[in-house]
Amino acid sequence: MLRVIQRLQEESDIESGRILDQFVQNRKLESKLVEIQSLNIAMIRSSTTNWSTSPGGGTNGTSVAGAGTGLNGTNGSSVSGQINGNNNNPLTDPRQLDANLLELALISQRGALFYQFINERADDEMEHIGTDESTQDMIMHGKDKRYYSDNGLLASSGLVKRNKELMNSYLVIDSFLLKRNMDKAMKLDDYDPSSGQTSTCVDDVFFILQKVVKRSISTCEPDVVAATVKAILKTLDSGYLQVFQQKMSVTFAGQEPGNRNVERSIEQAKINYMVLLNNLNVSAEYMERLAQDARPEVEAAIWKNPDHDIKIATKALDDLASASSKFRKLLQSGMEQLMGQILKPRIRPLFQHGYREVKYVLEEDEYNEADVDELFVKRFRSGFDKLIDSYQRTLTDANFTTIMGLLLDAITAQWERIISQTRFNQYGALRFDKDLRSVIHYLSSMTEWLSRDRFTRLNQMATLLNFEEPSEIYDYWGAKAGPVSWRLTVAEIKKILTLRLDFDGEEVANLSLY
């Protein structure tokens, strides 16, 4: 029976060769590859084209992925044709190329299925023969054993070799379409605040990537999966991530406040910048999800050498998921830039307005009046609400959480500087403690994730300022500190205590806190 299986393999190599020759001829694959090569050269030459600085690089709101057009052959518009005017060239019609890719993937998949079937049967027959050397010699008579596997079949049959050639063509076409479709998605990028927090290119691009990854897995060729992921990462780097980086670098360029129109322009630039940050945030999540969703398909695919092939394909998906770190790195840099350029300069005026006509050296009647008015708290809340309004409306939850963390770090640092330069008496210290608690409560009610740890130093300042006398520090120091972990240095503690007008400076200086 094994001789029959060997003969079947030989015959399948001959017949499949004829069929695939006819397929290549009918689909004009060789001509298409030549044309694609020339277009790739043209794309490289035109890659210096400048991108628009707005989130929507195009002039309309058409979405590639929204309706699935230009990707699955359901629409007459040509992605590559619209970009370079090749609509009338049938060789590079993306609908036809997309269909060719599906055919090539199916051919490879059927080849893998046949490989699995014939090798399993051959393994069974060889196991049945066992160690009978005479039978084995008869089966392998006239054959060079160097080219055959232990089961008596060719280690690399004609069909396997031919399929590898076709997969090379597959990768060339797939890479070409990937670049073109992604380029199209970026050119048609548009932002509509009523439809989401990101611009259209994010969903469009990852719709494309999801299709490309799934199709590569369906070929049942691990090298194809690895090469496809490599092409995806390269294309994302140059045609997606760098586009965001370029837009972020010029969003606020040349915009100086001065008149109403410029102020409006700056506000729009701020919105555009936040949308870019949202794009990066969601893209990082999509990268991880893309790899995660593909893993079950890798497990279910028909592999020639399951253990080895699954390992290669899984490694490729790991590389895909880890690429999310590039998005997060640029996102963090963008957050810090937004904080440094736009938000941080507004923190000092926020406190200046809040503390206008507010003091912490109070008589009893002034304290009671301040207790009713709460001028600082009301002004701070009003100013902070205005400060974060557009960010809260525009940013994703994750990005808003990040920017709030950066903002609160800057706010506490500024508040600490103000307090360290302010004089207090006992009533004023009580008033500051109430102001601090009110602000913390306000921020806690607005953001569930607020970490009170950010206000530890300020809380410790309030505690020091509310001592009855400087020596009370000994009840909170050393062995008596209990769960209290002081964030203030000894020098800072003494400096804060000297802010109390009714504390003796010499007594504070002589405190033994070492």
Side-chain angles (χ1 to χ4, degrees), residues 40 101 170-180 231 235:
N40 281 337
L101 287 175
Y170 171 95
L171 290 171
V172 172
I173 297 172
D174 191 51
S175 178
F176 171 76
L177 277 185
L178 173 63
K179 291 176 184 175
R180 287 304 182 85
T235 307

Side-chain angles (χ1 to χ4, degrees), residues 137-273:
D137 291 340
M138 180 186 69
I139 292 172
M140 301 303 296
H141 179 69
K143 302 182 186 298
D144 191 338
K145 293 184 179 181
R146 293 177 300 172
Y147 302 109
Y148 286 80
S149 302
D150 294 339
N151 62 9
L153 294 181
L154 283 167
S156 182
S157 65
L159 177 57
V160 170
K161 292 177 181 177
R162 194 60 190 278
N163 187 64
K164 286 186 180 297
E165 294 174 4
L166 289 177
M167 288 301 96
N168 288 334
S169 300
Y170 171 95
L171 290 171
V172 172
I173 297 172
D174 191 51
S175 178
F176 171 76
L177 277 185
L178 173 63
K179 291 176 184 175
R180 287 304 182 85
N181 288 335
M182 190 177 294
D183 187 44
K184 182 67 174 179
M186 299 306 289
K187 285 184 181 294
L188 295 181
D189 189 23
D190 187 47
Y191 171 64
D192 180 2
S194 64
S195 62
Q197 295 170 308
T198 62
S199 60
T200 58
C201 71
V202 177
D203 284 339
D204 291 354
V205 165
F206 281 90
F207 172 86
I208 295 166
L209 297 185
Q210 184 183 49
K211 183 174 183 179
V212 169
V213 170
K214 286 186 175 182
R215 187 167 56 202
S216 72
I217 296 172
S218 73
T219 66
C220 302
E221 285 288 344
D223 291 339
V224 171
V225 177
T228 298
V229 169
K230 187 176 180 180
I232 286 174
L233 296 179
K234 182 179 179 182
T235 307
L236 278 175
D237 222 24
S238 60
Y240 189 71
L241 194 61
Q242 284 187 18
V243 173
F244 291 155
Q245 195 168 12
Q246 290 166 7
K247 289 181 178 180
M248 289 168 65
S249 67
V250 299
T251 300
F252 299 110
Q255 294 180 338
E256 298 293 336
N259 59 58
R260 201 173 203 179
N261 291 334
V262 172
E263 290 295 333
R264 261 200 304 265
S265 177
I266 291 176
E267 186 63 25
Q268 184 57 51
K270 187 173 71 175
I271 298 296
N272 293 344
Y273 196 86

Side-chain angles (χ1 to χ4, degrees), residues 309-334:
D309 295 352
I310 289 177
K311 186 177 180 180
I312 293 176
T314 301
K315 172 63 168 57
L317 295 182
D318 290 342
D319 292 342
L320 193 65
S322 63
S324 64
S325 62
K326 291 185 178 181
F327 292 95
R328 298 193 191 282
K329 184 178 179 181
L330 182 57
L331 173 60
Q332 182 63 30
S333 174

Side-chain angles (χ1 to χ4, degrees), residues 360 362 367 371 419 422-437 457-473 475-476 486 488 493 495-503 508:
Y360 286 132
L362 304 170
Y367 170 79
D371 214 27
I419 295 305
T422 304
R423 303 312 296 269
F424 295 81
N425 64 3
Q426 188 171 18
Y427 282 117
L430 285 171
R431 181 65 254 162
F432 168 62
D433 185 63
K434 288 187 176 182
D435 286 344
L436 178 60
R437 291 175 186 275
R457 285 173 56 86
L458 282 167
N459 277 319
Q460 290 179 354
M461 287 180 179
T463 300
L464 292 170
L465 290 169
N466 278 280
F467 282 170
E468 293 291 333
E469 56 185 24
S471 60
E472 194 175 336
I473 183 63
D475 294 333
Y476 299 88
W486 284 94
L488 300 173
I493 288 174
K495 181 179 179 181
I496 296 301
L497 289 173
T498 59
L499 298 177
R500 276 283 296 268
L501 295 175
D502 47 332
F503 284 175
V508 172

